[in-house]
Amino acid sequence: MNNRSAIVIGAGIVGLATARALATRGYKVTVFERNERAVGASIRNFGMIWPIGQPNGTLFERAMLSRGIWKQVATEAGIWHDEVGSLHLAYHDDELQVMTEYADLNKSVRDCALLSPAEAFAKSPAVNPDGLMGALWSGTEMIVEARAAIGQVAAYLAEKHGVTFYWNTAISAINDTEVRSGSRTWQADEVFVCGGAEFETLYPELFAEAPLTKCKLQMMRLAAQPDGLRIGPSLCGSLSMIHYPGFGAAPSLPALKARYEDQYAEYLKWGIHVMVSQNHLGELTVGDSHEYALAHDPFDKEFINRMILDYLATFTRFKNNQVVQTWNGIYPKLTNGQTELVLEPEPGVTIINGLGGNGMTLSFGLCEQLIAARQ
């Protein structure tokens, strides 16, 4: 019987994933969140669990482990989830060539296939048929409604695994494995710092030395589609192929990127690639862009949203294109090419940070692996 205790700071996806991995191993877990609920990047995203974006090997395996945990948690907790897969859509020869190479390279290790235009239409009635040459199907992608699911995972951990949550409780100091919020203190055997703000404020020198920047992304939500229209898989324009490292093994990708650098220079300047997912209410989540700095303009740029919608129209056809919400999210991003930052600033304290835009896809798997390796 494990009688150890752990404190987790941050109730975003990394904190929840850490709490789950600890609690399932018998730890008594306490989570501290500075807000009354998670309100950061963990709820401001597509809700995509996105293995297709990860390269073969460690990261793809981690993504699939994470997907399995998401599936288990969502099923046990009654959290809406949709195993819809994804479609990347090709309207030019060079796009189709990259997809063909991807399918050939991965058909033995992934659930993927190159589809004809007719097969793509059969997967999704929302595909733009004009000039479509083919599509890349992947069956591994899953959608949750992030803005609801993160809070539901917290409730599940409290009910099923006895995790204690302190909301509206900002941790102001750590001394060994004692944490402090104002005049109150709590002690545990181990402490995990999983919130970006807490990393920055509790260990400012380490944060300043770390190869980190911050990424701001802009996103939108379109109105629920009439007549119960379901778009089926998440839909992606081909710009996404030069964004995700999972496509890096395709020999023709550099040539495609070179064309995009000429044709879509302004899109690449703002880090725009366009994807769309659908929630349980029929609403569509659309994005996104990528701006990098340590401090960001808090206001959205209308021209970025317009560019996203213009590109979206090249590969989709919806019955209702009304924008009902716009927002931005900000997350830490490593600048050295690594996929996560794990530090031990003092005995018994671990910092987990820097997953970039892969938090929903990799956090459950990463934290499961990290905690399992400690046993």
Side-chain angles (χ1 to χ4, degrees):
M1 178 67 180
N2 185 354
N3 294 316
R4 294 183 64 78
S5 59
I7 286 172
V8 176
I9 302 172
I13 184 57
V14 178
L16 296 177
T18 302
R20 189 212 69 89
L22 291 163
T24 57
R25 289 167 172 81
Y27 278 77
K28 177 177 173 54
V29 181
T30 305
V31 178
F32 293 87
E33 167 57 45
R34 62 173 51 225
N35 297 297
E36 66 179 12
R37 57 188 175 88
V39 295
S42 294
I43 70 163
R44 306 184 199 184
N45 59 71
F46 292 98
M48 292 173 170
I49 295 86
W50 205 246
I52 192 174
Q54 302 303 319
N56 288 338
T58 299
L59 291 177
F60 178 65
E61 292 164 5
R62 180 176 295 166
M64 292 303 292
L65 172 61
S66 191
R67 185 195 189 283
I69 295 171
W70 262 114
K71 174 68 175 175
Q72 177 187 5
V73 170
T75 300
E76 292 181 1
I79 298 170
W80 177 83
H81 58 288
D82 203 353
E83 299 175 82
V84 289
S86 65
L87 280 180
H88 286 75
L89 301 160
Y91 293 86
H92 295 86
D93 289 335
D94 52 359
E95 296 168 348
L96 188 64
Q97 180 63 28
V98 171
M99 294 179 191
T100 301
E101 293 169 354
Y102 180 97
D104 288 342
L105 288 166
N106 287 283
K107 59 187 177 183
S108 65
V109 293
R110 299 180 186 234
D111 175 13
C112 67
L114 191 69
L115 304 185
S116 68
E119 290 170 327
F121 297 145
K123 290 283 189 184
S124 174
V127 169
N128 176 11
D130 298 338
L132 182 66
M133 301 182 70
L136 176 67
W137 157 255
S138 171
T140 59
E141 288 64 58
M142 185 168 77
I143 303 299
V144 298
E145 171 62 300
R147 59 184 66 182
I150 296 299
Q152 292 170 318
V153 171
Y156 161 82
L157 292 175
E159 180 178 354
K160 181 174 178 63
H161 294 291
V163 175
T164 300
F165 285 84
Y166 284 85
W167 305 98
N168 282 322
T169 306
I171 299 302
S172 53
I174 299 176
N175 183 18
D176 293 325
T177 56
E178 179 186 83
V179 305
R180 176 178 296 275
S181 179
S183 60
R184 295 179 295 170
T185 61
W186 296 264
Q187 182 81 41
D189 296 307
E190 298 180 53
V191 176
F192 296 84
V193 180
C194 299
E198 284 76 17
F199 177 21
E200 189 169 359
T201 57
L202 293 171
Y203 295 99
E205 293 179 352
L206 276 180
F207 184 87
E209 294 169 358
L212 281 170
T213 186
K214 297 177 183 178
C215 180
K216 174 188 174 183
L217 53 87
Q218 290 185 199
M219 302 189 72
M220 290 165 279
R221 180 152 286 184
L222 306 189
Q225 296 301 291
D227 305 319
L229 173 70
R230 301 299 301 179
I231 70 170
S234 294
L235 303 178
C236 309
S238 292
L239 273 175
S240 295
M241 294 194 298
I242 69 168
H243 178 79
Y244 285 107
F247 291 89
S252 297
L253 188 69
L256 178 63
K257 184 175 181 181
R259 175 169 74 83
Y260 286 163
E261 287 171 345
D262 179 53
Q263 181 178 356
Y264 291 109
E266 195 68 10
Y267 277 75
L268 272 57
K269 174 183 175 180
W270 298 104
I272 294 172
H273 71 106
V274 183
M275 312 161 77
V276 55
S277 64
Q278 188 172 36
N279 69 9
H280 58 299
L281 300 174
E283 300 164 330
L284 303 175
T285 304
V286 178
D288 54 8
S289 58
H290 299 78
E291 299 176 66
Y292 299 98
L294 286 175
H296 285 282
D297 180 351
F299 307 106
D300 289 349
K301 296 176 175 66
E302 192 278 336
F303 74 86
I304 286 180
N305 286 346
R306 176 47 50 195
M307 290 170 71
I308 290 171
L309 291 173
D310 287 347
Y311 189 77
L312 178 71
T314 67
F315 65 91
T316 60
R317 287 290 184 268
F318 300 130
K319 294 183 177 181
N320 188 344
N321 291 287
Q322 179 189 2
V323 176
V324 295
Q325 289 180 333
T326 69
W327 68 93
N328 67 70
I330 296 176
Y331 56 72
K333 172 74 173 179
L334 286 162
T335 60
N336 62 357
Q338 298 299 305
T339 53
E340 70 277 342
L341 182 69
V342 180
L343 301 173
E344 295 186 3
E346 54 187 301
V349 178
T350 302
I351 297 168
I352 307 174
N353 200 260
L355 275 76
N358 296 310
M360 295 293 280
T361 299
L362 295 179
S363 292
F364 273 129
L366 170 65
C367 297
E368 173 69 15
Q369 291 170 336
L370 288 176
I371 302 306
R374 293 168 174 259
Q375 304 306 300

